[in-house]
C-alpha cells in the first residue's frame, strides 16, 4: 500500500475496512447528484468491495490534519483514466482541500500522459466551476430521457 504526504495532505489506497465509510460517501454523492434514493447501503458497500478488489480501479482516501477530507475512485489503463468518483467532505470544501487532493491524484496516481475524463451533472454548477478551474474542459454532452411513470388507469 502506497502513501504520500504533502502540505499535510496524504492519501492511501482504500482497504475493505473502509467500505462502510466509502459507502456513506457514495450515498452522499447520490444524494448530491440525484436527490437521494437508489441503492441500499448494503449494495453500496458491496460495490465498494468490488472496486477495491478490481485491478482496474483505485479507491483512494485523502486525509489532512487527521481528518478524512476527500475520496476518489479512478479507473486506470495504459493511456487513459476515468475519475468515477471524486468527493470532498462538506466541512472541507472551499478551503483548497479538493485542489490539493486532485493535485496529488493527478501527479502521483494518474500518469501525466493519460487522457483523463469524468462526468459532471449539468445541474452541478459548483462541480463545473471546480473542474474547469483544474484545467478540465467540456468534451461531450450526455443526454437522457427519464423513465416515464405509468399513467393510472
Amino acid at each position: 500500500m502506497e502513501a504520500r504526504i504533502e502540505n499535510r495532505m496524504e492519501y492511501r489506497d482504500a482497504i475493505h475496512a473502509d467500505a462502510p465509510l466509502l459507502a456513506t460517501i457514495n450515498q452522499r454523492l447520490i444524494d448530491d447528484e440525484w436527490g437521494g434514493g437508489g441503492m441500499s447501503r448494503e449494495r453500496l458497500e458491496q460495490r465498494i468491495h468490488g472496486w477495491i478488489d478490481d485491478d482496474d480501479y483505485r479507491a483512494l482516501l485523502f486525509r489532512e490534519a487527521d481528518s478524512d477530507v476527500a475520496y476518489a475512485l479512478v479507473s486506470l489503463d495504459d493511456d487513459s483514466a476515468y475519475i468515477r468518483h471524486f468527493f470532498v467532505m462538506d466541512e472541507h470544501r472551499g478551503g483548497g482541500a479538493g485542489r490539493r487532493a486532485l493535485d496529488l491524484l493527478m501527479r502521483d496516481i494518474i500518469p501525466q500522459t493519460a487522457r483523463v475524463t469524468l462526468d459532471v451533472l449539468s445541474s452541478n454548477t459548483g462541480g463545473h466551476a471546480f473542474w474547469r478551474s483544474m484545467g478540465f474542459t467540456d468534451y461531450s454532452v450526455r443526454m437522457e430521457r427519464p423513465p416515464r411513470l405509468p399513467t393510472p388507469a
Side-chain angles (χ1 to χ4, degrees):
M1 185 177 317
E2 185 178 341
R4 182 179 178 96
I5 299 173
E6 181 169 301
N7 296 331
R8 302 179 341 213
M9 177 72 66
E10 61 183 18
Y11 69 85
R12 68 173 175 81
D13 288 282
I15 59 174
H16 287 286
D18 296 317
L21 170 63
L22 299 183
T24 298
I25 294 169
N26 198 199
Q27 185 64 57
R28 285 291 322 280
L29 277 166
I30 292 167
D31 291 347
D32 284 355
E33 293 177 346
W34 303 99
M39 287 183 230
S40 69
R41 177 63 140 262
E42 294 78 24
R43 178 69 183 117
L44 290 172
E45 280 192 42
Q46 289 172 354
R47 284 178 43 164
I48 297 294
H49 285 294
W51 286 322
I52 289 171
D53 287 336
D54 189 333
D55 290 339
D56 291 334
Y57 280 98
R58 282 191 73 181
L60 301 146
L61 281 168
F62 296 84
R63 291 182 59 82
E64 194 168 53
D66 296 322
S67 264
D68 294 316
V69 298
Y71 154 70
L73 179 66
V74 183
S75 174
L76 300 162
D77 62 32
D78 292 337
D79 58 356
S80 67
Y82 174 65
I83 300 174
R84 183 177 182 126
H85 296 160
F86 186 82
F87 185 82
V88 177
M89 310 305 186
D90 289 343
E91 61 273 18
H92 297 283
R93 292 180 182 177
R99 290 179 176 281
R100 290 187 296 279
L102 187 63
D103 285 343
L104 280 174
L105 179 67
M106 297 297 291
R107 189 188 67 230
D108 291 1
I109 305 299
I110 297 174
Q112 294 294 309
T113 57
R115 178 178 175 265
V116 182
T117 58
L118 54 90
D119 293 313
V120 182
L121 292 181
S122 297
S123 61
N124 185 352
T125 56
H128 284 266
F130 172 77
W131 291 110
R132 284 189 181 110
S133 76
M134 298 304 293
F136 286 77
T137 60
D138 292 349
Y139 170 71
S140 69
V141 174
R142 179 186 293 180
M143 299 180 83
E144 74 171 357
R145 187 187 94 184
R148 295 183 183 170
L149 298 175
T151 55

